[in-house]
Amino acid sequence: MIFVKHTKKIIYFFLTFCKLIPVIAIELESYLTKLPTSYIELSLEKCINLGLQNSISILRNKSNLELTGYDILKSYGNFLPNLALQLGNNYTYGNSYLTTTSPTYVNTAGFFGNFTISSTLNIFNGFADITNLNSIITKKDSENFTFEKAKQIIIIDIIQNYLQITLDNNMIEIATQNLQEYQTREKLLLAQTNLGAKSIADLYLQQAQTSLAESNLNSLKNKIRNDEILLLKKIRLDYQKNYKFIPVKFEDVLQDTNQITESNLIKIALNKRSDLKSIQALKKVSELEIETAKSSYYPKIDFTVSAISNAAYVNSQIVNGSNIPYSSQDPYQKQFLSNFKYQFLLNLNWIIFDKLISYSNENQAIQKYSQSKNEEIEEQQKIISEVRTEFGNYRLALQELDSTAKVLLASKKAYQVMSGRYKVGSASFIDLITSQSTLEQAEYNRSKSLINFLMQKWNLKFITGDLQN
């Protein structure tokens, strides 16, 4: 009897434990899902800064700017005098024929040294140095504008990618809500079908809709994953870490929509576009190269100051066959210090005819300048066409904002009416899911139009050269 009682208690405890297993599993799952996950938050501004900081093209442009800075330093150096030092010491042995008094052969052996220090300053070289300096400075300005354009390209690329991620999030939110509604209705239809209140065809149609919604949601999740990886690749961050992208706000998306005109955008673009300014700077360089080519027509004038000293220590000297010994010689070092001679030289060098080299260089520079002017005109026309195209896209995006808002409102009302009619049996299930699909598509289109309009506003800033970090 006691054994039976203990057995009943064990069985009762076991059954109670089995009933608690689902509750324990739910609580465990809830605890695990609430465990803190370390996320790195990324905003649009932070992504732009990281992109500019880590971009290979930006680092390459910075290196080019530094190299141009050294070229400018060298050009400044052309205005300074040089300083040259020459020191020589040699042992000489051999005959010399001297005619200072009467012709005499002298055979000398000994050490002979020379010391020369000189400095030369160019006074005039046909303005070549000043034009060369201005040319290099202008080239650096061109590279600065190119660098600025490269940064703007990176910024607009990151903005486009980031807005795509924002759109993906919005799409996933809409798809998740629709899937939850489909699942809830499917459970209701299943119960109603079992009771015979609804047609089994409605259940099958709803199951198909639910499966399509699940497939759509999975596709959207995979798409946002790929878009996030692409953005992380652009800003060069570790793919294996967890990131959270802060959504872009749309509060001010509709502000200042009617104050933008095509003519004003064209004026702004022609004044601010960095690529146009770069071409204009290169045109200025071509103009300066004409002056550089013309400088070869002028004479070159240099002023040179030099100090020269010589020293000798003669071991033997034979004059006309007779050995003439030195009674005494000053020390080698003393001779250098006491034997200085100074020269001041003004040198003029003028090439009268250089086989048409200067003439050819001048005409080549003129042709390059003419080409640069044509490139400037072509770039201006290109900018005007780009602005007009983007302004048209902007106006279209603005119209889509208005139309998608109206379509979304009408779709919501139509779905509400159709849902009510279906509940009372005056509308078919096909009418219901058709109106719901229309509403779902309207929600997608509305989200796309908002993102597209925001992107078009950024595109206008980019196309006018007004895009700043």
Side-chain angles (χ1 to χ4, degrees), residues 56-68:
I56 296 296
S57 61
I58 293 296
L59 297 176
R60 187 184 300 114
N61 282 318
K62 285 182 178 180
S63 178
N64 292 335
L65 286 175
E66 291 180 0
L67 292 176
T68 306

Side-chain angles (χ1 to χ4, degrees), residues 135 139 284-294 365 368:
S135 176
K139 283 181 181 178
K284 181 64 177 177
V285 171
S286 300
E287 186 178 4
L288 291 171
E289 287 177 351
I290 297 176
E291 298 300 321
T292 302
K294 288 182 178 179
K368 288 182 180 179

Side-chain angles (χ1 to χ4, degrees), residues 127-181:
F127 308 106
D129 288 340
I130 186 66
T131 54
N132 184 57
L133 174 62
N134 291 331
S135 176
I136 295 177
I137 291 176
T138 309
K139 283 181 181 178
K140 186 175 183 180
D141 292 338
S142 175
E143 291 181 0
N144 279 325
F145 292 131
T146 303
F147 179 54
E148 186 65 28
K149 183 64 177 179
K151 291 198 296 184
Q152 291 179 0
I153 291 174
I154 291 173
I155 291 173
I156 196 66
D157 186 34
I158 291 175
I159 289 173
Q160 184 176 7
N161 202 158
Y162 197 94
L163 290 181
Q164 181 61 53
I165 293 174
T166 302
L167 177 60
D168 293 340
N169 276 318
N170 293 344
M171 294 291 197
I172 289 175
E173 184 178 351
I174 295 171
T176 302
Q177 292 176 354
N178 287 321
L179 177 60
Q180 291 174 352
E181 187 172 352

Side-chain angles (χ1 to χ4, degrees), residues 140 173 207 249 286 315 355 374 386 411 435 463 468:
K140 186 175 183 180
E173 184 178 351
Q207 289 175 343
K249 297 181 180 180
S286 300
N315 293 331
K355 303 178 182 180
N374 293 332
E386 289 177 351
S411 299
S435 63
I463 211 68
Q468 303 293 332

Side-chain angles (χ1 to χ4, degrees), residues 3 32 59-60 90 164 179 211 216 343 372 405 416:
F3 175 75
L32 292 176
L59 297 176
R60 187 184 300 114
N90 60 82
Q164 181 61 53
L179 177 60
S211 298
N216 181 47
Q343 290 183 352
S372 65
Q416 291 174 356

Side-chain angles (χ1 to χ4, degrees), residues 217-395:
L217 181 59
N218 292 330
S219 298
L220 290 174
K221 288 181 178 179
N222 184 66
K223 185 176 185 305
I224 193 174
R225 178 178 178 274
N226 293 335
D227 290 334
E228 289 176 351
I229 291 175
L230 179 60
L231 180 57
L232 294 174
K233 179 180 178 181
K234 290 177 181 178
I235 60 180
R236 301 177 69 186
L237 291 182
D238 187 2
Y239 304 155
Q240 298 180 354
K241 295 182 180 179
N242 296 319
Y243 300 95
K244 181 179 180 181
F245 295 89
I246 301 175
V248 178
K249 297 181 180 180
F250 294 94
E251 285 80 0
D252 302 329
V253 70
L254 298 177
Q255 290 187 1
D256 302 327
T257 55
N258 297 320
Q259 298 178 3
I260 301 175
T261 63
E262 187 177 276
S263 59
N264 287 336
L265 291 176
I266 292 175
K267 290 179 182 179
I268 294 173
L270 294 177
N271 288 328
K272 290 189 174 183
R273 280 282 290 262
S274 299
D275 46 355
L276 178 59
K277 289 182 179 180
S278 178
I279 291 177
Q280 290 171 340
L282 292 177
K283 185 188 76 171
K284 181 64 177 177
V285 171
S286 300
E287 186 178 4
L288 291 171
E289 287 177 351
I290 297 176
E291 298 300 321
T292 302
K294 288 182 178 179
S295 66
S296 58
Y297 292 125
Y298 298 97
K300 309 297 185 292
I301 302 175
D302 296 322
F303 178 69
T304 302
V305 178
S306 59
I308 304 170
S309 180
N310 297 300
Y313 191 87
V314 179
N315 293 331
S316 65
Q317 182 171 254
I318 301 173
V319 180
N320 291 330
S322 302
N323 185 16
I324 302 176
Y326 275 89
S327 58
S328 64
Q329 297 184 71
D330 289 339
Y332 210 55
Q333 298 83 352
K334 184 178 180 181
Q335 292 183 53
F336 272 121
L337 297 175
S338 60
N339 196 26
F340 271 106
K341 292 182 290 292
Y342 301 94
Q343 290 183 352
F344 301 90
L345 176 64
L346 189 64
N347 182 42
L348 185 143
N349 183 19
W350 196 352
I351 300 176
I352 305 301
F353 180 69
D354 62 354
K355 303 178 182 180
L356 302 179
I357 295 176
S358 298
Y359 176 78
S360 300
N361 291 338
E362 179 188 4
N363 283 276
Q364 287 178 350
I366 291 173
Q367 289 299 321
K368 288 182 180 179
Y369 177 66
S370 177
Q371 292 175 1
S372 65
K373 289 197 296 184
N374 293 332
E375 290 176 359
E376 179 188 13
I377 296 173
E378 183 179 358
E379 185 67 19
Q380 288 174 342
Q381 295 300 318
K382 175 186 173 185
I383 289 174
I384 292 173
S385 65
E386 289 177 351
V387 171
R388 297 189 65 181
T389 300
E390 287 301 327
F391 182 73
N393 294 335
Y394 170 79
R395 300 301 298 178

Side-chain angles (χ1 to χ4, degrees), residues 403-413 439 442-444 446:
S403 62
T404 54
K406 293 178 181 178
V407 170
L408 179 60
L409 179 61
S411 299
K412 286 181 178 179
K413 292 181 178 179
L439 174 59
E443 291 174 338
Y444 285 146
R446 179 59 180 173

